[in-house]
Amino acid sequence: MQKLQKPFVILAAGALLYMAHRAYGWPGLAAAGGGLMMWLLLHVTRLMTVLKRAANQPIGHVGSAVMLNAKLRPGVTLMHVTAQTRSLGERLSEEGIEPEVYRWTDNGHSSVTAEFQGGKLQRWKLDRPATE
């Protein structure tokens, strides 16, 4: 499904532009192009906002690993998890190797280790330090 998503979006945008031109001519093409550009700019703005917030935190730090564990759901994107934690994860896997593995640790040394396959969360594990 992941491999078909990007070509599908491009084909859908092309079909929208084509239908807008067929129905309304050049003004329709301009309106549909403007709408697509606004959609693209909204996504870029959200990405930049998430990354700006994450830049102000140490890599791999989260306020509460237990709360992060409770909020995670299968299939969410790495950007969504980064937005939740407001921190980039500490990369545990090699660059370019699937699955990508990241870890977030809190002040109490509890940590959440998450595996992403194709940019989507597949599984995660909460590790808590042993209590004495």
Side-chain angles (χ1 to χ4, degrees), residues 48-96:
M48 289 295 117
T49 303
V50 167
L51 291 178
K52 185 192 286 186
R53 287 180 183 153
N56 296 329
Q57 294 289 331
I59 291 178
H61 178 77
V62 67
S64 172
V66 175
M67 290 302 295
L68 174 62
N69 180 58
K71 291 180 182 179
L72 291 178
R73 299 287 174 255
V76 298
T77 62
L78 178 58
M79 187 177 87
H80 183 82
V81 177
T82 303
Q84 281 183 332
T85 62
R86 295 178 182 239
S87 170
L88 298 173
E90 175 189 356
R91 185 183 199 104
L92 301 179
S93 61
E94 294 294 322
E95 184 78 26

Short mmCIF file of all heavy atoms in Angstrom, two decimals, residues 48-96:
data_model
loop_
_atom_site.label_atom_id
_atom_site.label_comp_id
_atom_site.label_asym_id
_atom_site.label_seq_id
_atom_site.Cartn_x
_atom_site.Cartn_y
_atom_site.Cartn_z
N MET A 48 7.35 21.85 9.13
CA MET A 48 8.32 22.82 9.66
C MET A 48 8.02 23.16 11.12
O MET A 48 8.94 23.32 11.92
CB MET A 48 8.31 24.10 8.83
CG MET A 48 8.91 23.94 7.45
SD MET A 48 10.65 23.55 7.53
CE MET A 48 10.66 21.94 6.80
N THR A 49 6.75 23.25 11.49
CA THR A 49 6.38 23.54 12.87
C THR A 49 6.81 22.40 13.79
O THR A 49 7.36 22.64 14.87
CB THR A 49 4.86 23.77 12.99
OG1 THR A 49 4.49 24.83 12.12
CG2 THR A 49 4.46 24.10 14.41
N VAL A 50 6.56 21.16 13.37
CA VAL A 50 6.95 20.00 14.18
C VAL A 50 8.47 19.97 14.35
O VAL A 50 8.98 19.75 15.45
CB VAL A 50 6.43 18.70 13.53
CG1 VAL A 50 7.08 17.47 14.15
CG2 VAL A 50 4.92 18.61 13.66
N LEU A 51 9.20 20.19 13.27
CA LEU A 51 10.66 20.15 13.35
C LEU A 51 11.22 21.31 14.16
O LEU A 51 12.23 21.15 14.86
CB LEU A 51 11.26 20.12 11.95
CG LEU A 51 11.01 18.83 11.17
CD1 LEU A 51 11.60 18.92 9.78
CD2 LEU A 51 11.56 17.63 11.91
N LYS A 52 10.59 22.47 14.11
CA LYS A 52 11.05 23.62 14.91
C LYS A 52 10.88 23.33 16.40
O LYS A 52 11.77 23.61 17.21
CB LYS A 52 10.27 24.88 14.55
CG LYS A 52 10.80 26.12 15.27
CD LYS A 52 9.87 27.30 15.16
CE LYS A 52 9.88 27.92 13.81
NZ LYS A 52 9.09 29.17 13.76
N ARG A 53 9.75 22.72 16.78
CA ARG A 53 9.54 22.36 18.18
C ARG A 53 10.52 21.29 18.63
O ARG A 53 11.01 21.32 19.75
CB ARG A 53 8.11 21.88 18.40
CG ARG A 53 7.10 22.98 18.34
CD ARG A 53 5.71 22.45 18.56
NE ARG A 53 4.74 23.51 18.41
CZ ARG A 53 3.48 23.32 18.05
NH1 ARG A 53 3.05 22.09 17.81
NH2 ARG A 53 2.67 24.34 17.93
N ALA A 54 10.79 20.33 17.75
CA ALA A 54 11.71 19.24 18.09
C ALA A 54 13.15 19.73 18.21
O ALA A 54 13.95 19.14 18.93
CB ALA A 54 11.62 18.13 17.05
N ALA A 55 13.48 20.81 17.52
CA ALA A 55 14.85 21.33 17.55
C ALA A 55 15.21 21.90 18.92
O ALA A 55 16.38 22.02 19.26
CB ALA A 55 15.03 22.40 16.48
N ASN A 56 14.21 22.25 19.72
CA ASN A 56 14.46 22.86 21.03
C ASN A 56 14.61 21.83 22.14
O ASN A 56 14.77 22.21 23.30
CB ASN A 56 13.32 23.83 21.37
CG ASN A 56 13.29 24.99 20.41
OD1 ASN A 56 14.32 25.41 19.89
ND2 ASN A 56 12.09 25.50 20.14
N GLN A 57 14.53 20.54 21.85
CA GLN A 57 14.63 19.48 22.84
C GLN A 57 15.86 18.62 22.56
O GLN A 57 16.30 18.51 21.42
CB GLN A 57 13.39 18.59 22.79
CG GLN A 57 12.11 19.27 23.19
CD GLN A 57 12.07 19.57 24.68
OE1 GLN A 57 12.66 18.86 25.49
NE2 GLN A 57 11.39 20.64 25.05
N PRO A 58 16.38 17.96 23.59
CA PRO A 58 17.47 17.01 23.35
C PRO A 58 16.96 15.81 22.53
O PRO A 58 15.80 15.42 22.65
CB PRO A 58 17.87 16.55 24.75
CG PRO A 58 17.23 17.48 25.70
CD PRO A 58 16.08 18.12 25.00
N ILE A 59 17.83 15.23 21.73
CA ILE A 59 17.44 14.08 20.91
C ILE A 59 17.14 12.90 21.82
O ILE A 59 17.90 12.58 22.72
CB ILE A 59 18.55 13.73 19.91
CG1 ILE A 59 18.66 14.83 18.86
CG2 ILE A 59 18.30 12.38 19.25
CD1 ILE A 59 19.75 14.63 17.85
N GLY A 60 16.00 12.27 21.57
CA GLY A 60 15.61 11.08 22.31
C GLY A 60 15.01 11.33 23.67
O GLY A 60 14.85 10.42 24.47
N HIS A 61 14.62 12.57 23.98
CA HIS A 61 14.03 12.90 25.29
C HIS A 61 12.53 13.06 25.16
O HIS A 61 12.03 13.60 24.18
CB HIS A 61 14.64 14.19 25.84
CG HIS A 61 14.05 14.58 27.15
ND1 HIS A 61 14.40 13.95 28.33
CD2 HIS A 61 13.11 15.50 27.47
CE1 HIS A 61 13.71 14.49 29.32
NE2 HIS A 61 12.93 15.43 28.81
N VAL A 62 11.79 12.56 26.15
CA VAL A 62 10.35 12.73 26.21
C VAL A 62 9.97 13.03 27.66
O VAL A 62 10.68 12.63 28.59
CB VAL A 62 9.62 11.46 25.68
CG1 VAL A 62 9.85 10.27 26.59
CG2 VAL A 62 8.14 11.70 25.48
N GLY A 63 8.91 13.77 27.85
CA GLY A 63 8.48 14.12 29.21
C GLY A 63 8.12 12.91 30.04
O GLY A 63 8.52 12.78 31.19
N SER A 64 7.34 11.98 29.46
CA SER A 64 6.94 10.77 30.17
C SER A 64 6.84 9.62 29.17
O SER A 64 5.99 9.64 28.28
CB SER A 64 5.59 10.97 30.86
OG SER A 64 5.12 9.74 31.37
N ALA A 65 7.69 8.62 29.34
CA ALA A 65 7.68 7.47 28.44
C ALA A 65 6.40 6.65 28.62
O ALA A 65 5.87 6.09 27.65
CB ALA A 65 8.90 6.59 28.69
N VAL A 66 5.87 6.61 29.83
CA VAL A 66 4.64 5.86 30.09
C VAL A 66 3.46 6.50 29.34
O VAL A 66 2.65 5.80 28.73
CB VAL A 66 4.36 5.77 31.60
CG1 VAL A 66 3.03 5.10 31.88
CG2 VAL A 66 5.50 5.03 32.30
N MET A 67 3.38 7.82 29.36
CA MET A 67 2.31 8.51 28.63
C MET A 67 2.47 8.34 27.12
O MET A 67 1.49 8.17 26.41
CB MET A 67 2.27 9.99 29.01
CG MET A 67 1.79 10.25 30.41
SD MET A 67 0.15 9.59 30.75
CE MET A 67 -0.84 10.57 29.65
N LEU A 68 3.70 8.39 26.65
CA LEU A 68 3.93 8.16 25.22
C LEU A 68 3.49 6.76 24.84
O LEU A 68 2.83 6.56 23.82
CB LEU A 68 5.41 8.37 24.88
CG LEU A 68 5.82 8.03 23.45
CD1 LEU A 68 5.08 8.91 22.45
CD2 LEU A 68 7.32 8.15 23.29
N ASN A 69 3.83 5.78 25.66
CA ASN A 69 3.43 4.40 25.40
C ASN A 69 1.91 4.27 25.30
O ASN A 69 1.39 3.56 24.44
CB ASN A 69 3.96 3.48 26.50
CG ASN A 69 3.58 2.05 26.30
OD1 ASN A 69 3.90 1.45 25.29
ND2 ASN A 69 2.88 1.48 27.27
N ALA A 70 1.19 4.99 26.16
CA ALA A 70 -0.27 4.92 26.16
C ALA A 70 -0.88 5.59 24.93
O ALA A 70 -1.95 5.19 24.47
CB ALA A 70 -0.82 5.57 27.42
N LYS A 71 -0.20 6.60 24.38
CA LYS A 71 -0.74 7.35 23.24
C LYS A 71 -0.42 6.74 21.89
O LYS A 71 -1.06 7.08 20.90
CB LYS A 71 -0.21 8.79 23.27
CG LYS A 71 -0.76 9.61 24.40
CD LYS A 71 -0.19 11.01 24.34
CE LYS A 71 -0.66 11.87 25.49
NZ LYS A 71 -0.09 13.22 25.43
N LEU A 72 0.57 5.87 21.80
CA LEU A 72 0.98 5.33 20.51
C LEU A 72 -0.06 4.37 19.95
O LEU A 72 -0.69 3.62 20.69
CB LEU A 72 2.33 4.62 20.63
CG LEU A 72 3.54 5.52 20.87
CD1 LEU A 72 4.79 4.67 21.03
CD2 LEU A 72 3.71 6.51 19.75
N ARG A 73 -0.21 4.39 18.63
CA ARG A 73 -1.12 3.51 17.91
C ARG A 73 -0.41 2.99 16.67
O ARG A 73 0.36 3.72 16.04
CB ARG A 73 -2.39 4.24 17.48
CG ARG A 73 -3.21 4.79 18.61
CD ARG A 73 -3.94 3.66 19.37
NE ARG A 73 -4.62 4.16 20.54
CZ ARG A 73 -4.21 4.00 21.78
NH1 ARG A 73 -3.09 3.36 22.02
NH2 ARG A 73 -4.89 4.46 22.79
N PRO A 74 -0.67 1.74 16.27
CA PRO A 74 -0.04 1.22 15.05
C PRO A 74 -0.45 2.03 13.83
O PRO A 74 -1.60 2.46 13.72
CB PRO A 74 -0.58 -0.21 14.95
CG PRO A 74 -1.12 -0.55 16.29
CD PRO A 74 -1.51 0.75 16.93
N GLY A 75 0.49 2.24 12.93
CA GLY A 75 0.20 2.92 11.67
C GLY A 75 0.42 4.42 11.67
O GLY A 75 0.32 5.05 10.62
N VAL A 76 0.71 5.03 12.83
CA VAL A 76 0.97 6.47 12.82
C VAL A 76 2.36 6.71 12.24
O VAL A 76 3.22 5.86 12.28
CB VAL A 76 0.84 7.11 14.23
CG1 VAL A 76 -0.57 6.95 14.77
CG2 VAL A 76 1.84 6.56 15.19
N THR A 77 2.57 7.89 11.70
CA THR A 77 3.84 8.20 11.04
C THR A 77 4.88 8.66 12.05
O THR A 77 4.55 9.05 13.18
CB THR A 77 3.64 9.30 9.99
OG1 THR A 77 3.19 10.48 10.65
CG2 THR A 77 2.65 8.87 8.93
N LEU A 78 6.12 8.64 11.61
CA LEU A 78 7.22 9.14 12.45
C LEU A 78 7.02 10.62 12.76
O LEU A 78 7.31 11.08 13.86
CB LEU A 78 8.56 8.90 11.76
CG LEU A 78 9.81 9.39 12.48
CD1 LEU A 78 9.92 8.77 13.86
CD2 LEU A 78 11.04 9.07 11.66
N MET A 79 6.49 11.37 11.80
CA MET A 79 6.24 12.79 12.05
C MET A 79 5.19 12.97 13.15
O MET A 79 5.31 13.86 14.00
CB MET A 79 5.77 13.50 10.78
CG MET A 79 5.66 15.00 10.97
SD MET A 79 5.21 15.90 9.51
CE MET A 79 3.45 15.83 9.59
N HIS A 80 4.18 12.11 13.18
CA HIS A 80 3.16 12.19 14.22
C HIS A 80 3.76 11.91 15.60
O HIS A 80 3.45 12.61 16.58
CB HIS A 80 2.03 11.19 13.91
CG HIS A 80 0.90 11.24 14.87
ND1 HIS A 80 -0.10 12.17 14.78
CD2 HIS A 80 0.62 10.49 15.95
CE1 HIS A 80 -0.96 11.99 15.77
NE2 HIS A 80 -0.54 10.96 16.50
N VAL A 81 4.62 10.91 15.70
CA VAL A 81 5.27 10.58 16.97
C VAL A 81 6.22 11.71 17.38
O VAL A 81 6.28 12.09 18.56
CB VAL A 81 6.02 9.24 16.88
CG1 VAL A 81 6.76 8.93 18.17
CG2 VAL A 81 5.04 8.11 16.56
N THR A 82 6.93 12.28 16.41
CA THR A 82 7.80 13.42 16.70
C THR A 82 6.99 14.61 17.21
O THR A 82 7.42 15.31 18.14
CB THR A 82 8.61 13.81 15.45
OG1 THR A 82 9.36 12.68 15.01
CG2 THR A 82 9.56 14.96 15.74
N ALA A 83 5.81 14.82 16.65
CA ALA A 83 4.94 15.91 17.12
C ALA A 83 4.46 15.63 18.54
O ALA A 83 4.37 16.55 19.35
CB ALA A 83 3.76 16.08 16.17
N GLN A 84 4.15 14.38 18.86
CA GLN A 84 3.71 14.03 20.21
C GLN A 84 4.82 14.23 21.24
O GLN A 84 4.58 14.74 22.33
CB GLN A 84 3.25 12.57 20.28
CG GLN A 84 1.88 12.33 19.73
CD GLN A 84 1.47 10.88 19.89
OE1 GLN A 84 2.30 9.98 19.91
NE2 GLN A 84 0.18 10.66 20.00
N THR A 85 6.02 13.79 20.90
CA THR A 85 7.13 13.86 21.86
C THR A 85 7.82 15.21 21.87
O THR A 85 8.54 15.52 22.82
CB THR A 85 8.19 12.79 21.52
OG1 THR A 85 8.72 13.04 20.22
CG2 THR A 85 7.60 11.40 21.60
N ARG A 86 7.64 15.98 20.81
CA ARG A 86 8.35 17.26 20.62
C ARG A 86 9.85 17.08 20.66
O ARG A 86 10.60 17.94 21.11
CB ARG A 86 7.90 18.30 21.65
CG ARG A 86 6.45 18.67 21.50
CD ARG A 86 6.03 19.66 22.54
NE ARG A 86 4.62 19.96 22.38
CZ ARG A 86 4.14 21.15 22.16
NH1 ARG A 86 4.95 22.18 22.09
NH2 ARG A 86 2.85 21.35 22.03
N SER A 87 10.29 15.89 20.20
CA SER A 87 11.71 15.57 20.18
C SER A 87 11.97 14.54 19.08
O SER A 87 11.15 13.66 18.85
CB SER A 87 12.13 14.98 21.53
OG SER A 87 13.43 14.45 21.47
N LEU A 88 13.13 14.68 18.44
CA LEU A 88 13.54 13.65 17.49
C LEU A 88 13.97 12.43 18.29
O LEU A 88 14.58 12.55 19.34
CB LEU A 88 14.71 14.15 16.64
CG LEU A 88 14.43 15.36 15.76
CD1 LEU A 88 15.73 15.82 15.10
CD2 LEU A 88 13.40 15.03 14.70
N GLY A 89 13.65 11.24 17.79
CA GLY A 89 14.03 10.02 18.48
C GLY A 89 15.51 9.71 18.32
O GLY A 89 16.13 10.10 17.33
N GLU A 90 16.06 9.01 19.29
CA GLU A 90 17.44 8.55 19.21
C GLU A 90 17.45 7.34 18.27
O GLU A 90 16.83 6.32 18.55
CB GLU A 90 17.94 8.14 20.59
CG GLU A 90 19.30 7.55 20.61
CD GLU A 90 19.67 6.97 21.97
OE1 GLU A 90 18.88 7.10 22.92
OE2 GLU A 90 20.75 6.37 22.04
N ARG A 91 18.15 7.46 17.16
CA ARG A 91 18.16 6.39 16.15
C ARG A 91 19.02 5.22 16.63
O ARG A 91 20.18 5.38 16.98
CB ARG A 91 18.70 6.94 14.83
CG ARG A 91 18.62 5.95 13.72
CD ARG A 91 19.24 6.53 12.45
NE ARG A 91 18.74 5.76 11.35
CZ ARG A 91 17.81 6.16 10.51
NH1 ARG A 91 17.30 7.33 10.62
NH2 ARG A 91 17.40 5.37 9.55
N LEU A 92 18.43 4.02 16.63
CA LEU A 92 19.14 2.82 17.04
C LEU A 92 19.51 1.93 15.86
O LEU A 92 20.40 1.10 15.98
CB LEU A 92 18.29 2.01 18.03
CG LEU A 92 17.89 2.73 19.31
CD1 LEU A 92 17.04 1.82 20.17
CD2 LEU A 92 19.10 3.21 20.07
N SER A 93 18.83 2.08 14.74
CA SER A 93 19.10 1.27 13.56
C SER A 93 20.09 1.99 12.64
O SER A 93 20.33 3.19 12.78
CB SER A 93 17.81 0.97 12.80
OG SER A 93 17.22 2.18 12.36
N GLU A 94 20.67 1.24 11.72
CA GLU A 94 21.58 1.83 10.75
C GLU A 94 20.80 2.71 9.77
O GLU A 94 19.62 2.50 9.53
CB GLU A 94 22.30 0.73 9.97
CG GLU A 94 23.23 -0.11 10.82
CD GLU A 94 24.41 0.69 11.34
OE1 GLU A 94 24.93 1.55 10.61
OE2 GLU A 94 24.80 0.45 12.50
N GLU A 95 21.48 3.68 9.20
CA GLU A 95 20.88 4.59 8.21
C GLU A 95 20.41 3.81 6.99
O GLU A 95 21.16 3.04 6.41
CB GLU A 95 21.92 5.63 7.79
CG GLU A 95 21.40 6.69 6.84
CD GLU A 95 20.61 7.75 7.55
OE1 GLU A 95 20.85 7.98 8.74
OE2 GLU A 95 19.75 8.35 6.91
N GLY A 96 19.15 3.99 6.61
CA GLY A 96 18.61 3.37 5.41
C GLY A 96 18.19 1.92 5.56
O GLY A 96 17.81 1.29 4.58
#
